[in-house]
Amino acid sequence: MVMIALMVAAAIILSYFERLIPLQLVIPVPGVKLGLANVVILTSIYLFSYREVFFIVLLKAGLVGVLFGSPITFLYSLAGSILSFLVMYILVVICKEYISSIGISVSGAIFHNIGQITMASILIETRNIFMYLPYLMLVGIITGIGVGFVVKYIIKYLRMIIPKL
């Protein structure tokens, strides 16, 4: 329980820190983020059960929505987070030997964007929002690579101190 609470806290802190980075000045596409909290989520997928990680995802989305967002941004985040988690979890369980944490992270980033854009399309009742998807996916691929590298080294370090991991 303590480890799950620490993971949720780390994800919230990374989400807050991410909001301080003015990425929209460099990439003027609404919704572009680095996805730093995904370091915690993907690492958790390697460490915990499906249920535990799903709980982390829900708590992170809910608390970040309450603390730093609005009901609408919460729904976007929740849709993206759940879809991303499901894809990453399935890939880790089924393809862990064939796909690195980098590939899994990139897949998660892409599906996070798909989930968010789909939710936005439903809420604002237009399909035109899907025009942003290629731009979000391009940024998601780049940031997913970065997140995947970080997770790769976290897992490598954890395996040195926890051999059964």
Side-chain angles (χ1 to χ4, degrees), residues 112-133:
H112 192 277
N113 291 325
I114 291 170
Q116 283 188 316
I117 289 292
T118 302
M119 179 59 75
S121 175
I122 291 166
L123 292 176
I124 62 176
E125 299 176 352
T126 182
R127 292 185 188 150
N128 292 340
I129 192 105
F130 280 96
M131 293 186 321
Y132 286 114
L133 192 56

Side-chain angles (χ1 to χ4, degrees), residues 5-163:
L6 288 172
M7 295 305 245
V8 172
I12 291 169
I13 290 166
L14 289 171
S15 291
Y16 176 73
F17 177 71
E18 181 175 73
R19 291 177 184 278
L20 299 176
I21 301 169
L23 202 54
Q24 272 72 29
L25 296 176
V26 180
I27 305 167
V29 177
V32 170
K33 292 204 263 184
L34 295 175
L36 298 177
N38 290 332
V39 170
V40 174
I41 302 301
L42 184 52
T43 301
S44 295
I45 289 172
Y46 284 99
L47 298 175
F48 303 114
S49 71
Y50 173 87
R51 223 173 118 184
E52 292 165 328
V53 182
F54 190 66
F55 188 62
I56 293 169
V57 168
L58 292 178
L59 278 175
K60 187 245 353 138
L63 291 171
V64 167
V66 167
L67 295 171
F68 315 125
S70 68
I72 299 297
T73 58
F74 163 70
L75 291 174
Y76 295 163
S77 174
L78 186 63
S81 295
I82 290 173
L83 186 58
S84 172
F85 160 67
L86 291 173
V87 167
M88 290 190 300
Y89 189 84
I90 290 167
L91 288 174
V92 167
V93 169
I94 294 174
C95 305
K96 182 165 65 171
E97 303 300 320
Y98 307 106
I99 302 176
S100 71
S101 61
I102 298 164
I104 292 167
S105 176
V106 168
S107 300
I110 288 169
F111 279 92
H112 192 277
N113 291 325
I114 291 170
Q116 283 188 316
I117 289 292
T118 302
M119 179 59 75
S121 175
I122 291 166
L123 292 176
I124 62 176
E125 299 176 352
T126 182
R127 292 185 188 150
N128 292 340
I129 192 105
F130 280 96
M131 293 186 321
Y132 286 114
L133 192 56
Y135 303 106
L136 290 173
M137 288 174 73
L138 178 61
V139 174
I141 289 168
I142 295 166
T143 60
I145 291 169
V147 166
F149 269 114
V150 171
V151 171
K152 176 182 174 182
Y153 289 106
I154 289 172
I155 296 300
K156 182 179 177 182
Y157 174 76
L158 288 175
R159 283 191 177 133
M160 290 183 343
I161 60 174
I162 308 169

